[in-house]
């Protein structure tokens, strides 16, 4: 199983980036996909997720209204469109897969960040 995150980079405040998570080796349609981030010296933070059951989407309050998550089961990919980026969005972002949406409620509630698979991270830096 592989989850490949891409699309990070350096952007000015107010700018946009689109992250992609490409999955292989798993039955993608049965997995919720979440995005997490971790900045230096800070705890890991859940950012957003899209569930497998009905493709409902969820966002952390810190990104609501600025980020949009979507999935394409035919291509086994999930995208995270990030608009109006702020310096506090600077972090390493990675995607994770959760079979059957089992842990997504816990992600949203912040009680645990367990998952079945995760990919390597992609660096997002927001700076002028």
């Amino acid at each position: 199983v592989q989850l490949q995150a891409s699309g990070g980079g350096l952007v000015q405040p107010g700018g946009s980036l689109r992250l992609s998570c490409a999955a292989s080796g798993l039955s993608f349609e049965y997995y919720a996909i979440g995005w997490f981030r971790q900045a230096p010296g800070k705890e890991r933070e859940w950012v957003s997720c899209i569930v497998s059951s009905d493709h409902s989407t969820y966002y952390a309050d810190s990104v609501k209204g600025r980020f949009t998550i979507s999935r394409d089961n035919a291509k086994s990919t999930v995208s995270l469109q990030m608009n109006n980026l702020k310096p506090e969005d600077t972090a390493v972002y990675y995607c994770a897969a959760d079979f059957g949406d089992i842990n997504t409620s816990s992600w949203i509630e912040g009680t645990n960040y367990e998952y079945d698979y995760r990919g390597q991270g992609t660096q997002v830096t927001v700076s002028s």
Side-chain angles (χ1 to χ4, degrees):
V1 174
Q2 281 194 330
L3 296 175
Q4 184 78 26
S6 62
L10 172 64
V11 64
Q12 292 186 340
S16 298
L17 283 174
R18 187 176 182 88
L19 304 184
S20 292
C21 175
S24 61
L26 76 171
S27 296
F28 184 79
E29 65 270 27
Y30 298 117
Y31 285 81
I33 302 295
W35 285 95
F36 297 80
R37 67 186 181 186
Q38 189 162 20
K42 294 187 177 180
E43 293 188 356
R44 180 177 48 173
E45 177 186 15
W46 168 75
V47 176
S48 178
C49 66
I50 182 165
V51 300
S52 65
S53 57
D54 61 0
H55 296 186
S56 292
T57 58
Y58 302 89
Y59 302 92
D61 288 343
S62 58
V63 306
K64 200 170 294 183
R66 301 187 296 121
F67 290 11
T68 303
I69 191 171
S70 60
R71 68 187 294 157
D72 184 339
N73 282 356
K75 297 181 179 179
S76 297
T77 59
V78 166
S79 296
L80 184 69
Q81 177 66 41
M82 306 187 297
N83 297 329
N84 190 21
L85 283 161
K86 304 175 180 182
E88 51 264 41
D89 294 318
T90 296
V92 174
Y93 287 70
Y94 64 92
C95 54
D98 175 48
F99 180 77
D101 307 340
I102 292 174
N103 290 297
T104 52
S105 294
S106 298
W107 295 354
I108 296 164
E109 295 167 0
T111 53
N112 83 62
Y113 292 153
E114 295 181 0
Y115 38 72
D116 296 293
Y117 306 103
R118 62 158 283 182
Q120 92 296 347
T122 186
Q123 176 70 46
V124 171
T125 303
V126 185
S127 175
S128 55

